[in-house]
Amino acid sequence: MILQLHIQALNTPTAIYRTVLIPDGFTFDDLGTVIESSFDIMHSESYIFNMITSNGEKQDYIFIGIDYENDFLISKEEILDDEETFLYEWFQKGKDEAIYTVAVEEYELKIEVQKILEPDSTISYPLCIDAKGRMSQTDTEQPVDLEEINEDIQLGELLSSDRFDEVMKDTLEETPDWQTLFQVADQLKKLKPWQYFDDNQIVAIQDPFTKEIYFCSVLGGAGMEYGLAIYIGAKGWKTINDIMSDQTTDDFFYQLDSLCVYYVNRDELEKSDYELIKEQELSFRGEHNWIQFRSYKPGFVPWHPDVADTKTLILVLQQMIQLVEQCKNGWQLPFFEDSSLCVTRHIDSHGEWIESVFQIKDPLEEDVQIYPALSDFEIVQIKKKKHSNLKLEFELFYLPQAVEDPTYNRPFFPVFCVAIDRNTGMVCYQQILPPQINAAMAQGEFVYALKQLSVRPQTLFVTPKINHYLEPLAQKLNITLKSSEPLVEIQQFKNYMRYQ
């Protein structure tokens, strides 16, 4: 499993933290190395992890680490060997925590388990996903660069390749449980859920372990496409509402984060779908009777589900089967005037599956900071550029031509970044990037574009999303942003590329 750890420096004048994803098969020695690298802490021969809670229970005098000089005044017999003690032995539930103390420098950091996740085969672990502040006394307020942090904690620099291979083999060697998945998908199909749920009726399933909520839309009420679409978390809820209110954007398909089960005809299967069915020694007959699974991840080509996806699908399908059985016995999904309410099937305090009405909040906009590691000198250099009447359109979008790269386990849609002079239509900057579009990528490319220009633009025209990503950086550089949609020159550029 993957631990999402929030690591917060204690006794500092400003907030300093890192949020990292790390396999629970790593040792505490490995975790110490990741902490040292991500916080840029000077290596110390002596450090201690003091377990505060484990498996939800308070711990007393559980020390893990190494103390060469007796800095901590703890008997060596009381300290567990950090090279032989694994994270999964002590970090077992959300809110489990420890205090990490480094001798000599006297750093203290609080480590708390935020989530325990299934491994994602598209991600290279360990990975820092959020960060703020620096430990150095001279630059605590300087912005941090996630890309730089992750470069520092790359396993090639931190752990031996043999150790990495050993841990990740144990973490990722599990294969999808296709037999069970096909079994529950076939069972749901035979119950014909579209006879009980309309396409616009949404029901939710909450994972009892991760507490993630999966929003389910049964397909088939219109008699065209049959199956089940599953949208993940608060962003999934927003996606459903965008679909129902017809507010989807041009890049909607590329931004999907969902799982789907389709009941299709034989000729609608791709070769890989058919081979997967045959590998399970299964066969189906008739219209809308063949089973097809798809995993949609932002920036990637729809693909077969991985291990984590199949576990989610099995959980959701099993609970949807129970809901349909209840419908057969007279239960009906209630209608709510308040569109934020959703019937959610979840486990209660007694360990029983029940249905409750949850109020679902729209996802908060990402709290954007300044990501590129811009020095004061670089900021001055950009500000020194002659202020001009240059009006640029700036955008990042996915190209429709998928490419393959051994770095990823599935083909992806490249991100195209472009800046165009609004007056002349001339392309001033362009770059092709791997997925996914986010604030760090947008700001980084914006900086690269500015460095290539001989003048500083007067105005930058961007879409609302890119406006949100660039706003703090543009303010610092005294560049005016104008949110506009569509961007005329960029739309023409997209059309040109589409027909090449």
Side-chain angles (χ1 to χ4, degrees), residues 252-499:
F252 169 78
F253 169 77
Y254 303 106
Q255 300 281 13
L256 267 181
D257 187 6
S258 70
L259 298 167
C260 289
V261 182
Y262 297 112
Y263 302 122
V264 300
N265 299 329
R266 167 68 182 84
D267 59 3
E268 294 177 86
L269 294 175
E270 293 186 10
K271 182 181 178 182
S272 59
D273 298 318
Y274 185 74
E275 289 174 349
L276 181 60
I277 291 170
K278 289 305 175 186
E279 285 172 9
Q280 314 313 311
E281 299 182 350
L282 297 172
S283 183
F284 305 100
R285 293 182 180 278
E287 289 188 346
H288 306 297
N289 234 11
W290 294 79
I291 301 174
Q292 181 186 66
F293 303 107
R294 284 294 180 268
S295 166
Y296 297 86
K297 294 187 185 296
F300 289 88
V301 172
W303 211 245
H304 288 299
D306 60 20
V307 173
D309 292 334
T310 54
K311 288 182 178 180
T312 297
L313 282 164
I314 289 169
L315 168 73
V316 172
L317 288 167
Q318 286 173 335
Q319 297 311 313
M320 284 300 299
I321 288 167
Q322 296 304 312
L323 283 175
V324 177
E325 291 285 6
Q326 289 180 198
C327 289
K328 290 177 67 175
N329 292 326
W331 182 79
Q332 290 185 337
L333 187 69
F335 170 77
F336 301 111
E337 292 286 348
D338 185 346
S339 61
S340 69
L341 301 179
C342 183
V343 171
T344 304
R345 186 165 169 81
H346 64 103
I347 284 183
D348 66 9
S349 59
H350 304 292
E352 300 292 330
W353 282 97
I354 62 169
E355 293 81 44
S356 300
V357 178
F358 281 22
Q359 183 163 40
I360 311 298
K361 296 180 179 179
D362 287 334
L364 296 174
E365 279 198 320
E366 178 185 356
D367 185 15
V368 174
Q369 58 179 316
I370 297 178
Y371 291 93
L374 272 177
S375 67
D376 290 337
F377 174 76
E378 288 175 305
I379 291 172
V380 170
Q381 290 300 106
I382 291 174
K383 285 185 173 181
K384 271 186 175 181
K385 292 189 176 188
K386 184 180 177 182
H387 203 79
S388 71
N389 61 358
L390 177 63
K391 297 178 180 180
L392 284 182
E393 292 185 4
F394 181 85
E395 175 67 314
L396 292 92
F397 57 90
Y398 290 103
L399 294 174
Q401 297 82 13
V403 299
E404 294 190 43
D405 186 313
T407 307
Y408 302 96
N409 289 342
R410 62 168 81 179
F412 65 85
F413 299 104
V415 175
F416 196 88
C417 177
V418 63
I420 300 179
D421 186 328
R422 198 169 220 203
N423 294 324
T424 66
M426 181 181 296
V427 174
C428 301
Y429 177 80
Q430 58 183 338
Q431 187 66 263
I432 295 179
L433 306 154
Q436 305 166 355
I437 297 173
N438 53 37
M441 176 186 285
Q443 290 187 16
E445 292 307 305
F446 179 42
V447 169
Y448 290 138
L450 290 176
K451 286 181 177 180
Q452 288 190 17
L453 293 171
S454 59
V455 296
R456 188 153 50 103
Q458 180 189 59
T459 309
L460 200 71
F461 293 87
V462 292
T463 60
K465 178 182 285 187
I466 300 300
N467 185 89
H468 180 62
Y469 289 161
L470 296 185
E471 191 170 18
L473 182 58
Q475 286 178 357
K476 191 164 189 176
L477 297 172
N478 294 331
I479 295 174
T480 302
L481 292 180
K482 284 197 175 180
S483 182
S484 173
E485 206 166 24
L487 301 172
V488 178
E489 293 298 328
I490 285 179
Q491 189 59 52
Q492 290 180 1
F493 183 79
K494 285 182 180 180
N495 293 338
Y496 171 78
M497 293 189 67
R498 189 173 293 131
Y499 294 109

Side-chain angles (χ1 to χ4, degrees), residues 142-187:
Q142 285 294 316
V144 292
D145 183 352
L146 282 180
E147 185 176 349
E148 180 182 304
I149 290 173
N150 283 310
E151 286 176 358
D152 288 341
I153 64 175
Q154 279 180 355
L155 292 181
E157 298 174 18
L158 302 176
L159 305 172
S160 73
S161 59
D162 290 342
R163 171 79 182 119
F164 173 74
D165 291 342
E166 175 189 337
V167 171
M168 293 314 293
K169 180 181 178 183
D170 291 341
T171 303
L172 296 173
E173 69 180 359
E174 190 178 0
T175 56
D177 184 359
W178 294 116
Q179 281 285 344
T180 302
L181 182 55
F182 272 103
Q183 179 183 349
V184 293
D186 193 44
Q187 189 176 348

Side-chain angles (χ1 to χ4, degrees), residues 81-95:
D81 188 338
D82 60 328
E83 292 184 353
E84 296 183 2
T85 307
F86 296 92
L87 301 182
Y88 65 77
E89 297 178 76
W90 295 98
F91 291 133
Q92 299 179 354
K93 283 186 176 180
K95 302 297 184 182

Side-chain angles (χ1 to χ4, degrees), residues 20-69:
V20 300
L21 303 178
I22 185 168
D24 65 0
F26 276 26
T27 65
F28 277 83
D29 176 56
D30 299 333
L31 175 57
T33 308
V34 170
I35 291 173
E36 288 175 358
S37 297
S38 61
F39 282 90
D40 196 20
I41 297 173
M42 184 71 71
H43 176 72
S44 172
E45 293 295 339
S46 299
Y47 54 85
I48 289 289
F49 293 91
N50 179 10
M51 294 304 306
I52 306 302
T53 55
S54 174
N55 198 26
E57 298 180 357
K58 191 177 184 330
Q59 302 296 310
D60 293 317
Y61 306 109
I62 301 297
F63 303 106
I64 305 163
I66 192 162
D67 186 6
Y68 283 111
E69 302 295 334

